[in-house]
Amino acid sequence: MQYEKSEKFTAREKIALRYADAIMYDPNQADDALWAQLKGEFNEAEIVEIGYWIGFTFGGQRWLKTLSAKQGEFDAFLKQKRASA
């Protein structure tokens, strides 16, 4: 996790990124220490919103990969469809 050593992210952002890692890759990373850090930086609604957004975004990316879709293809399809209508 290179973000841990990066100076580009605040401590708060690094906690959110650790949360993202737990959601996307390994739920076991969501241990008591991570929850304590999350609760120290975010309120309950923010934790839920961040978790929802991570899951929604990651799930969408997995779905696009399942379809073998490449970035921009859907937009190009919609533009072509509108142009031919």
Side-chain angles (χ1 to χ4, degrees):
M1 295 176 257
Q2 293 182 357
Y3 63 81
E4 291 282 359
K5 298 175 187 171
S6 175
E7 294 180 14
K8 294 180 181 181
F9 301 101
T10 65
R12 188 172 201 243
E13 290 168 331
K14 290 176 183 181
I15 293 166
L17 288 168
R18 282 196 294 276
Y19 187 31
D21 282 344
I23 291 170
M24 295 185 307
Y25 305 117
D26 182 9
N28 292 322
Q29 291 180 26
D31 57 11
D32 291 342
L34 177 59
W35 287 113
Q37 290 175 327
L38 284 165
K39 291 175 183 177
E41 289 291 334
F42 303 99
N43 65 40
E44 189 172 318
E46 290 170 325
I47 293 170
V48 170
E49 185 175 352
I50 293 166
Y52 171 82
W53 186 247
I54 293 165
F56 176 78
T57 303
F58 187 68
Q61 293 302 310
R62 293 290 244 185
W63 178 61
L64 290 173
K65 188 172 183 169
T66 301
L67 297 175
S68 297
K70 294 182 177 48
Q71 186 171 357
E73 285 182 340
F74 185 64
D75 186 47
F77 167 78
L78 291 176
K79 286 178 182 176
Q80 181 182 16
K81 188 171 180 175
R82 286 185 201 120
S84 65

